[in-house]
Amino acid sequence: YRDAAVYKLTKGGDLIINRDFHQMIVEQSSMLSYDKLYSIITIINDTREKLRQNSNFQLSIEVMLLKIQEVNK
């Protein structure tokens, strides 16, 4: 999602990290608004922080994916 946000902001592929997924990144950036991308990135960062605090890995990932699905609706 980071690359989709960067592509949406710059309209170029120079700063994309995962260039092998360029077409998918272009599609994602066109389908998601800035607010949705920001929300998804925040969800991922929050999950990363919870994992650093030794929360249950499986449960944390499942909750993260459910939250991302809610944003994508």
Side-chain angles (χ1 to χ4, degrees), residues 47 49-64:
T47 302
E49 183 59 33
K50 288 177 184 173
L51 289 171
R52 280 192 199 115
Q53 297 172 0
N54 292 326
S55 70
N56 182 290
F57 180 83
Q58 183 71 31
L59 183 60
S60 296
I61 298 300
E62 287 178 9
V63 169
M64 178 187 74

Side-chain angles (χ1 to χ4, degrees), residues 10-63:
T10 64
K11 294 296 184 206
D14 296 340
L15 299 174
I16 292 177
I17 294 173
N18 298 300
R19 293 176 191 220
D20 49 335
F21 294 107
H22 185 268
Q23 187 58 37
M24 186 185 315
I25 291 166
V26 171
E27 291 170 7
Q28 287 288 323
S29 68
S30 66
M31 291 180 355
L32 297 170
S33 69
Y34 291 112
D35 290 336
K36 285 184 178 184
L37 285 168
Y38 178 76
S39 295
I40 291 170
I41 292 170
T42 301
I43 291 167
I44 293 169
N45 287 334
D46 290 345
T47 302
R48 189 176 293 150
E49 183 59 33
K50 288 177 184 173
L51 289 171
R52 280 192 199 115
Q53 297 172 0
N54 292 326
S55 70
N56 182 290
F57 180 83
Q58 183 71 31
L59 183 60
S60 296
I61 298 300
E62 287 178 9
V63 169

